Amino acid sequence: MTKYDLEPITKTFYDALEEGTVLGRKCTSCGHIEFPPYLCCNSCGCLDTEWVDLTNMRGVIGQVLPTRGAFGDPDFKNAHGDYFSIEVKVPGADPVSTSLLHVDYDKYNEFDQYVRENEVVVKPLIIQDEDTKVLVWELEGESEFKKISEIKEPVKEETAAPAAAKAAAPATVDLANDKTAQIVIDAAADAYGVDASEISLATDIREDLSNESMKMIVMISTIEDETNVTIEIQEASNLMTIADFVNVVKERLGEETISADAAVASAAGSAGDSAAAGEEELDDIAKKVIQCAADGYGVDASEITLATDIREDLSNESMKMIVMISDIEDELDVTIEIQEASNLMTIADFVRVVRERL
């Protein structure tokens, strides 16, 4: 075969799945099997490969990963039940990453250990996924780890509404003064590349932000650095909303937990405090901080007051804040860590930190 277009190969593969057949391509030069099929041999580079029927092939699990939360696809789980992510070693082919269905998710730890100590054989399983058939795997023969999940229809909104109507009104949360909540929100914003103002306690990590596991890992790492608490990846896979993460941290810090539906306190009080701060007579320290902010953000110092919100009134560009902080450190001989600065909102906040250190 000397054709370089992969599309016909992909089409043939999926057309075969519709008919209940699993196909691969075998190199006519070295005999290596490309599965899933590719346009050339990944072993010797030969372009001459031919179709082979792999419907009855068997593989051995190389490793297994959990698939709830960070490592999973909620939509796939809802449609097909619990599953594991596995690496399958197929004779004559390269290992392939795929999904193992019909498993007992509650026995993940035992199954993972079993895979490490035993040769676990699996076989291909063709399933219907949305508008096409896809190939997954299942355990061959009987096993204590086998379990076919019962797929439940999603609860209709009108059915859930009465229960929601009876729920007690959630408590009010003052996020502006909740350092733990702000740390988690800022960590999520940085990890997922969004503005913190777009994130609330009810934000669903996977549905509202991203299902990319590495972004969650970055968020968790930041939270651990900021709060000195540990959140295991396995544990995080069962946490859905920002409030869930906040509460895990709060529990470990001995703080009172909050609800994802909690109303956020009005910022009226804070605005009043800021206004008062803006009217405060400026001393030399405040004037220097304001000038550093003006230089860092490229605006006139007359446009800045103690009540100026760095991100909302000036810019959310982190490099500009870094320039401002660098100027403050040079002018006033104090140190402000970048992570620390991420929790400072107004010019008054920066002035306060500088005064404390002087």
Side-chain angles (χ1 to χ4, degrees):
M1 174 182 175
T2 57
K3 194 170 184 178
Y4 291 83
D5 187 3
L6 183 58
E7 186 175 347
I9 293 178
T10 302
K11 184 179 185 305
T12 300
F13 176 75
Y14 280 101
D15 285 348
L17 289 183
E18 293 294 331
E19 301 298 324
T21 302
V22 181
L23 294 178
R25 292 194 67 83
K26 186 175 183 179
C27 177
T28 58
S29 175
C30 71
H32 185 78
I33 294 176
E34 289 305 315
F35 175 76
Y38 194 57
L39 54 80
C40 67
C41 175
N42 281 325
S43 179
C44 70
C46 179
L47 287 167
D48 292 326
T49 58
E50 59 187 11
W51 288 108
V52 288
D53 189 336
L54 302 176
T55 307
N56 296 317
M57 69 176 163
R58 296 294 183 267
V60 173
I61 298 179
Q63 64 174 336
V64 57
L65 288 174
T67 49
R68 282 184 183 162
F71 296 106
D73 182 341
D75 293 335
F76 187 83
K77 176 184 178 297
N78 290 337
H80 304 290
D82 285 329
Y83 71 102
F84 294 142
S85 177
I86 60 171
E87 176 193 69
V88 173
K89 299 175 181 178
V90 178
D94 295 325
V96 58
S97 295
T98 182
S99 300
L100 180 70
L101 264 63
H102 301 166
V103 290
D104 187 343
Y105 198 95
D106 293 334
K107 294 183 178 179
Y108 168 74
N109 291 328
E110 297 93 323
F111 184 65
D112 179 44
Q113 187 62 38
Y114 187 78
V115 167
R116 296 170 188 271
E117 299 173 353
N118 300 274
E119 183 176 275
V120 181
V121 179
V122 290
K123 62 181 180 180
L125 175 66
I126 299 173
I127 62 172
Q128 184 70 39
D129 187 42
E130 296 182 350
D131 58 352
T132 187
K133 283 187 168 60
V134 295
L135 179 67
V136 294
W137 296 72
E138 67 176 346
L139 295 168
E140 183 177 50
E142 295 301 317
S143 171
E144 63 177 297
F145 302 110
K146 260 193 176 181
K147 179 182 178 182
I148 298 180
S149 302
E150 178 184 353
I151 308 300
K152 297 181 180 179
E153 291 293 326
V155 178
K156 295 182 180 179
E157 290 185 8
E158 52 266 36
T159 302
K166 296 177 183 178
T172 299
V173 176
D174 183 3
L175 285 183
N177 292 314
D178 191 325
K179 184 178 179 181
T180 300
Q182 281 301 321
I183 287 175
V184 174
I185 288 174
D186 289 341
D190 291 342
Y192 288 90
V194 301
D195 193 282
S197 63
E198 299 176 21
I199 301 176
S200 70
L201 292 174
T203 296
D204 188 298
I205 296 291
R206 299 159 192 84
E207 292 187 5
D208 300 328
L209 297 178
S210 169
N211 199 41
E212 297 177 56
S213 58
M214 281 308 301
K215 290 184 177 180
M216 178 180 284
I217 291 172
V218 171
M219 181 185 81
I220 294 170
S221 177
T222 302
I223 292 172
E224 292 180 335
D225 289 343
E226 287 289 309
T227 63
N228 198 30
V229 300
T230 299
I231 302 177
E232 300 292 342
I233 297 298
Q234 273 286 65
E235 175 185 22
S237 69
N238 294 317
L239 305 179
M240 306 305 292
T241 65
I242 290 294
D244 291 338
F245 283 87
V246 170
N247 286 334
V248 166
V249 176
K250 281 180 171 292
E251 287 172 358
R252 283 164 198 175
L253 293 177
E255 299 176 7
E256 184 177 352
T257 59
I258 55 180
S259 166
D261 299 322
V264 177
S266 169
S270 298
D273 293 341
S274 296
E279 296 169 0
E280 180 183 331
E281 185 177 349
L282 301 180
D283 59 11
D284 288 342
I285 293 176
K287 289 177 181 178
K288 286 183 179 181
V289 171
I290 287 175
Q291 188 58 56
C292 290
D295 294 341
Y297 286 89
V299 300
D300 193 284
S302 63
E303 299 176 21
I304 301 176
T305 69
L306 291 175
T308 297
D309 187 298
I310 295 291
R311 298 162 188 80
E312 292 188 5
D313 300 328
L314 297 178
S315 170
N316 200 40
E317 296 178 55
S318 58
M319 281 307 301
K320 290 184 177 180
M321 179 182 284
I322 291 172
V323 171
M324 181 187 81
I325 293 170
S326 177
D327 288 346
I328 291 173
E329 292 179 335
D330 289 343
E331 286 288 318
L332 296 161
D333 195 26
V334 298
T335 298
I336 302 176
E337 300 293 340
I338 299 298
Q339 285 285 11
E340 174 187 22
S342 67
N343 294 317
L344 305 180
M345 307 304 292
T346 66
I347 292 295
D349 291 336
F350 282 87
V351 172
R352 172 180 53 78
V353 169
V354 172
R355 283 175 176 163
E356 288 172 353
R357 283 165 199 179
L358 292 174

